[in-house]
Amino acid sequence: MSWNRWYSIKSYLRSTLWVVPFIALLFYVMVIQVVDWINARFIVIPLWPWGTSGAQRILETIVTLTLTFIVFTFGSLLVAIQVASGQLSPRIIATALLRDNVIRTTVGIFIFTLLFSVGVLGRLEAEAPFFLVGIAGILGFASLIAFLYLIDHAARLLRPVSIVQRIGDLGCDVIEKVYPDLFDGHDLHTDSRRTINLPDRTIPHSGKSGVILAVNLKGLVKEAQRFGLVIELPHFVGSFLESGEPLFRLYGDIAKIEERRFPQNVAIGPERTIEQDPTFAFRIIVDIAIKALSKAINDPTTAVLAVDQLNRLLRKVGERRLQGDQAFDKSGQLRLILQTPNWEDFVQLAVREIRFYGAENFQVARRLRAMLENLLKTLPEARHPTLRTELNLLADAVKTIHVLPADLALASIADPQGLGAGLSHRV
């Protein structure tokens, strides 16, 4: 199986709900045979002194309960997804909600309990298999507890602070994965693309139009080294790629290349994923912030919560040495040129749209200022020019919007809470 196909499958499985219930079904097929074999060959003391009719009523009750739990869970989940995507961002559906292990695990417990209870109910004869009935009773009790926990978990999960916190956690994880080295004063970006000649061959994207989900850098370097080439990938991870658009530009001896091997190292899908795309975490949180700042919703406090996580993500990026636009083989030979975001890209993505839509709001203007000033204090000097640029733009925007001196003075205070904790730091 090619790398891009395997990656697409893994990405799909991470954001689906049906996998864990399907595993529960397979697990049931195995477990019911094992416990049935134990019940038939060993003298098992009944867990509870039920008669056959009592066991039947209990099993029927468990089946009814678990079936109700499943219907209620999926029904409420669909409603919750619609509400959360409408109020926050549609990007959170696959990124946060469908990847929640608590939801998937509890649904798996419901499915297993339902199937197990039905299987035991079908084995009722003149004398009930009390060992199996006892296990079904324990599973039914566990399903009830899991359902109550799921209700509490879902109520907490769908709060804006929980969503942005979860996206922030995912963003920090992918930043550490993509940029494993700490910042030493210099990033690895160069201007090598300006010095390279016209490509010797261009490989177009021959599949369906879609988004670049991930790139197998090691695989591309290996292919480039094998054929003695330099490969250029002219698109960022997360960019939309149309069918027929250039996917690779090749430089070198192209006489003996196997063209089909190169596209196998790029995964294309219908929507962005977060695994190799740290800017996507910023994009989701910024979307949540600017939607909260819309006149229809008018929820600046949610925007402040989003800025809290952007502060965290920008510090994480600023502390890392950002990946360069070059990749080399073991001998030090240039093999791959690719598009990667730099520090300015991250800062502008995190700040500018929120400033544009939220500078007129006291909470947002003050929280943005607090974020930028905090980053200036905590990040290395090399990161400061971009932060100072954004701080000056914020100050200019606030001066343009707030014409009353009292409002201008209030909006110009750095406040980590937005409004309420910056009165002692008036400037």
Side-chain angles (χ1 to χ4, degrees):
M1 184 180 293
S2 61
W3 180 89
N4 59 346
R5 186 177 296 275
W6 175 239
Y7 182 89
S8 298
I9 292 174
K10 290 192 297 181
S11 180
Y12 171 75
L13 293 178
R14 290 191 191 103
S15 58
T16 56
L17 281 175
W18 65 268
V19 174
V20 174
F22 181 74
I23 294 175
L25 188 152
L26 299 179
F27 188 60
Y28 154 75
V29 173
M30 178 184 67
V31 170
I32 193 66
Q33 298 296 330
V34 173
V35 296
D36 198 18
W37 181 84
I38 294 174
N39 185 76
R41 286 165 175 78
F42 296 93
I43 299 175
V44 180
I45 300 175
L47 297 179
W48 290 282
W50 295 326
T52 301
S53 59
Q56 181 177 355
R57 288 194 295 271
I58 289 174
L59 291 172
E60 291 173 348
T61 301
I62 294 173
V63 170
T64 303
L65 281 177
T66 51
L67 187 60
T68 303
F69 292 161
I70 293 170
V71 173
F72 181 86
T73 299
F74 280 105
S76 59
L77 181 62
L78 291 175
V79 174
I81 286 175
Q82 292 177 354
V83 173
S85 62
Q87 292 185 347
L88 299 176
S89 170
R91 262 67 63 186
I92 67 173
I93 296 175
T95 307
L97 298 181
L98 296 184
R99 296 190 179 202
D100 186 79
N101 289 326
V102 172
I103 295 175
R104 295 196 288 186
T105 302
T106 51
V107 172
I109 293 173
F110 298 156
I111 294 294
F112 181 81
T113 303
L114 174 64
L115 295 174
F116 191 90
S117 300
V118 172
V120 177
L121 190 60
R123 287 169 169 78
L124 287 181
E125 297 176 354
E127 183 177 353
F130 292 108
F131 180 59
L132 276 68
V133 175
I135 295 177
I138 294 173
L139 289 173
F141 186 71
S143 296
L144 180 60
I145 295 176
F147 178 73
L148 296 176
Y149 177 78
L150 178 63
I151 297 299
D152 178 74
H153 175 78
R156 298 174 185 272
L157 173 65
L158 294 175
R159 294 181 302 168
V161 64
S162 299
I163 294 294
V164 295
Q165 174 75 33
R166 182 177 293 261
I167 300 300
D169 292 340
L170 293 174
C172 288
D173 292 340
V174 72
I175 289 169
E176 293 178 354
K177 177 182 177 182
V178 175
Y179 308 121
D181 300 324
L182 293 177
F183 184 63
D184 58 359
H186 301 282
D187 290 323
L188 299 178
H189 281 271
T190 66
D191 294 326
S192 60
R193 284 167 287 183
R194 299 179 183 178
T195 62
I196 206 160
N197 298 323
L198 294 176
D200 295 292
R201 177 180 292 185
T202 298
I203 299 179
H205 174 51
S206 58
K208 295 181 179 180
S209 300
V211 175
I212 298 178
L213 305 180
V215 178
N216 183 12
L217 299 180
K218 293 182 179 179
L220 287 175
V221 170
K222 183 178 179 180
E223 293 297 328
Q225 184 178 13
R226 177 186 178 189
F227 296 107
L229 301 172
V230 176
I231 303 174
E232 180 184 4
L233 180 63
H235 304 280
F236 287 87
V237 172
S239 298
F240 183 78
L241 186 65
E242 296 184 18
S243 181
E245 193 174 356
L247 178 58
F248 295 107
R249 298 189 181 108
L250 307 182
Y251 306 87
D253 186 5
I254 60 172
K256 298 180 180 181
I257 68 168
E258 298 178 26
E259 186 173 308
R260 63 178 179 82
R261 296 177 64 92
F262 295 94
Q264 294 178 353
N265 292 286
V266 178
I268 308 292
E271 61 179 339
R272 294 172 71 177
T273 59
I274 205 169
E275 283 81 7
Q276 281 194 18
D277 189 1
T279 58
F280 190 40
F282 284 81
R283 179 72 271 163
I284 296 174
I285 296 176
V286 170
D287 284 350
I288 292 173
I290 61 179
K291 178 169 283 190
L293 292 170
S294 69
K295 301 300 182 182
I297 296 178
N298 195 24
D299 184 14
T301 303
T302 295
V304 170
L305 296 175
V307 176
D308 291 342
Q309 295 302 316
L310 292 173
N311 194 160
R312 174 189 179 196
L313 291 175
L314 280 177
R315 180 181 290 110
K316 179 71 70 173
V317 172
E319 293 172 346
R320 298 279 163 170
R321 186 171 65 170
L322 300 185
Q323 179 178 317
D325 57 1
Q326 297 179 347
F328 302 85
D329 59 21
K330 295 181 179 180
S331 64
Q333 183 71 29
L334 176 64
R335 293 302 180 188
L336 180 63
I337 301 171
L338 64 157
Q339 300 272 3
T340 57
N342 57 27
W343 173 240
E344 289 76 13
D345 294 328
F346 282 105
V347 175
Q348 291 173 8
L349 174 59
V351 177
R352 294 211 170 179
E353 287 180 287
I354 298 178
R355 171 177 58 79
F356 180 82
Y357 290 106
E360 64 183 12
N361 185 276
F362 294 123
Q363 287 193 62
V364 178
R366 289 156 61 100
R367 183 62 186 95
L368 277 179
R369 178 179 290 275
M371 179 184 76
L372 293 170
E373 292 183 357
N374 175 267
L375 293 172
L376 284 169
K377 294 177 182 178
T378 56
L379 292 181
E381 184 68 30
R383 302 299 194 197
H384 290 188
T386 303
L387 296 172
R388 290 196 182 98
T389 298
E390 296 301 325
L391 192 58
N392 292 334
L393 289 172
L394 176 62
D396 293 341
V398 170
K399 290 178 182 178
T400 302
I401 294 171
H402 299 284
V403 296
L404 297 179
D407 288 346
L408 177 60
L410 186 64
S412 299
I413 299 172
D415 188 343
Q417 293 185 11
L419 191 61
L423 297 180
S424 61
H425 306 285
R426 187 178 297 275
V427 295

